[in-house]
Every structure is written in C-alpha cells, then in structure tokens.
C-alpha cells in the first residue's frame, strides 16, 4: 500500500496570502488528521476529518480550515498568513471508525510552509 | 484537558548505553499511549503503542509499559545504536473524547547517540 502523501512538500508565501495544502491518505483509511509542528510549540493538533465531516478540532483560529472529499483526500487552508504560521504541517491517516483512540495514525512527510 | 510531559533533552548517550526517556500524561478518559520517532527531514513513524493499563508495547528493541497508577509510559532500550539518533515523541489518544483520533503530543526528546 502506498503511504500518506502530501503536496506540495515545500511552500513559500508572503504575509496576508492564503495557502492550500493537500493530503492523500492510505487507501481505505477514512480518518485524516492535521498537525502543526514548530520548534517553539511542538506538535499541535489542528483538526480531524472522518467521512467528510470534521470530527474533532484543536485550539487554532478560524483562519485554519479544512475539508475532506468523498475519496477521503483532505485539504487544509490557511488564510491571511502570518509569520507565525511558518511550520511543518503534517497529515496523518487512520482507519477511523468507532474504535477511535487506539487506532494507529500513519503520518505523511509533511509540507514545510515558510511565510515571509 | 489532556497533556503529555516528557524530558526534552537533548539526551546524549554513548553507543550500547541503556536508554530511558520519561513520559507522563494527564487524560480525562481512557487513553491509548504511543511513542513516535522522527528522523531528520522525515515525518513521524509509530514506534510502539499500548491501549490499556499494564500493556507493554515493544518494537526494534524499544519497550514501554502503560502504568495507570503512575500515569506514565516511559520508553526504554537496553543497548542503543547510532542509528537510534532521532527525536522521540510520546503521545496519547483519548477514547473518552468521542472516538476521534486526534493525538496529544509531548514536546519531543532529541536523542543523540555517539559512537
């Protein structure tokens, strides 16, 4: 099985712009989660989508949004970019479903976003 | 809310030394516990997991035991290698949180193994 893929791998934007990141989960996985990784804050949970519905959300401003398509692929959008949004954005997929909790999450390589 | 606390390091050891990375957690429900590893320039890989109290997760010589009484999940390895140099993250997933799969991570421990 192919792993989790994320595009693009690297992105440079300027303040005020918006950006869309894409994630393709492992085939058959229905849950996709997004995380932000920065040196100062570490890994922080953004949101999780399951069957095209946002099922869980972290503590991030409304500038961060996402969606999931019927094929389980997911996109994350950040509007009005700020310097502090520079980070590695990681996507993870899992089978999802009712078991929750113990499902292993498989991570993609991440998208490195730099905001100038 | 949920939280994970782990030593941040860097932790520097000589090859073949014994490794312990401490991890403690706070959770409102019945969490599953995980150790992830991140090599330079890569995403996270699951190293091991435990889904209930007293479970022991193990993989590649690493092991960790889910201790509910001390709310801990310390990572150990008997003899480390240079190739174990990486950042290690302790994480939990709280089933009590409605079945969602969002993980709460510790800050990560940078491990450096010297030959």
């Amino acid at each position: 099985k192919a792993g989790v893929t994320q595009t693009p791998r690297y992105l440079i934007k300027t303040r005020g712009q918006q950006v869309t990141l894409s994630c393709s989960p492992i085939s058959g996985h229905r849950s996709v989660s997004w995380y932000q990784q920065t040196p100062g804050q570490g890994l922080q949970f953004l949101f999780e989508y399951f069957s095209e519905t946002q099922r869980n959300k972290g503590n991030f401003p409304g500038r961060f949004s996402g969606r999931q398509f019927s094929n389980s692929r997911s996109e994350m959008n950040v509007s009005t970019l700020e310097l502090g949004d520079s980070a590695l954005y990681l996507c993870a997929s899992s089978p999802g479903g009712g078991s929750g909790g113990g499902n292993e999450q498989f991570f993609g390589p991440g998208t490195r976003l730099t905001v100038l | 809310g949920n939280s994970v606390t782990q030593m941040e390091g860097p932790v520097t050891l000589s090859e073949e030394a014994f490794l312990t990375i401490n991890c403690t957690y706070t959770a409102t429900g019945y969490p599953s516990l995980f150790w992830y590893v991140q090599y330079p320039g890569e995403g996270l890989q699951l190293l091991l997991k435990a889904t209930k109290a007293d479970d022991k997760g193990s993989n590649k010589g690493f092991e960790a035991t889910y201790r509910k009484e001390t709310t801990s999940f310390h990572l150990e390895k008997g003899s480390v290698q240079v190739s174990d140099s990486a950042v290690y993250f302790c994480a939990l997933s709280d089933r009590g949180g409605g079945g969602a799969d969002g993980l709460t991570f510790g800050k990560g421990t940078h491990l450096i193994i010297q030959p």
Side-chain angles (χ1 to χ4, degrees):
Chain A
K1 271 186 180 179
V4 177
T5 58
Q6 292 186 245
T7 56
R9 291 292 311 277
Y10 302 91
L11 206 48
I12 299 175
K13 292 285 187 179
T14 56
R15 277 181 300 174
Q17 288 187 309
Q18 75 164 20
V19 66
T20 299
L21 312 181
S22 180
C23 172
S24 292
I26 290 172
S27 178
H29 285 191
R30 295 164 64 193
S31 169
V32 173
S33 297
W34 289 90
Y35 297 85
Q36 182 195 63
Q37 185 177 22
T38 60
Q41 299 299 316
L43 276 155
Q44 294 184 284
F45 172 70
L46 280 154
F47 29 65
E48 184 220 359
Y49 285 86
F50 176 76
S51 292
E52 302 179 65
T53 301
Q54 188 180 87
R55 188 163 69 167
N56 199 4
K57 188 178 187 302
N59 189 25
F60 276 80
R63 299 186 297 107
F64 292 82
S65 63
R67 59 179 176 168
Q68 187 179 34
F69 302 95
S70 58
N71 61 358
S72 293
R73 190 177 70 85
S74 177
E75 288 182 347
M76 190 193 99
N77 184 275
V78 187
S79 63
T80 320
L81 284 166
E82 301 177 359
L83 295 179
D85 297 333
S86 294
L88 181 66
Y89 290 88
L90 292 165
C91 165
S93 77
S94 69
S99 59
N103 278 332
E104 174 182 347
Q105 294 199 11
F106 295 82
F107 283 80
T111 293
R112 173 75 62 184
L113 172 65
T114 302
V115 182
L116 302 176
Chain B
N2 298 334
S3 67
V4 175
T5 302
Q6 63 179 108
M7 50 203 296
E8 293 186 33
V11 173
T12 304
L13 295 172
S14 297
E15 204 165 22
E16 299 184 2
F18 183 86
L19 169 71
T20 299
I21 301 177
N22 290 338
C23 171
T24 57
Y25 68 89
T26 302
T28 54
Y30 305 95
S32 293
L33 302 173
F34 305 83
W35 276 100
Y36 280 84
V37 58
Q38 186 175 35
Y39 298 101
E42 298 183 12
L44 276 70
Q45 300 174 26
L46 179 68
L47 183 58
L48 52 83
K49 74 174 185 179
T51 58
K52 62 183 187 295
D54 299 324
D55 269 1
K56 177 185 282 189
S58 61
N59 185 28
K60 300 180 181 179
F62 291 90
E63 59 182 35
T65 301
Y66 188 144
R67 301 285 188 201
K68 187 177 178 182
E69 63 276 14
T70 54
T71 61
S72 65
F73 192 55
H74 304 322
L75 182 68
E76 297 181 335
K77 186 175 184 183
S79 177
V80 293
Q81 306 299 313
V82 173
S83 58
D84 294 327
S85 298
V87 181
Y88 292 79
F89 293 91
C90 184
L92 72 81
S93 179
D94 189 350
R95 272 178 269 187
D101 286 343
L103 289 165
T104 301
F105 285 91
K107 293 284 191 181
T109 300
H110 186 193
L111 176 65
I112 300 170
I113 306 301
Q114 296 178 333

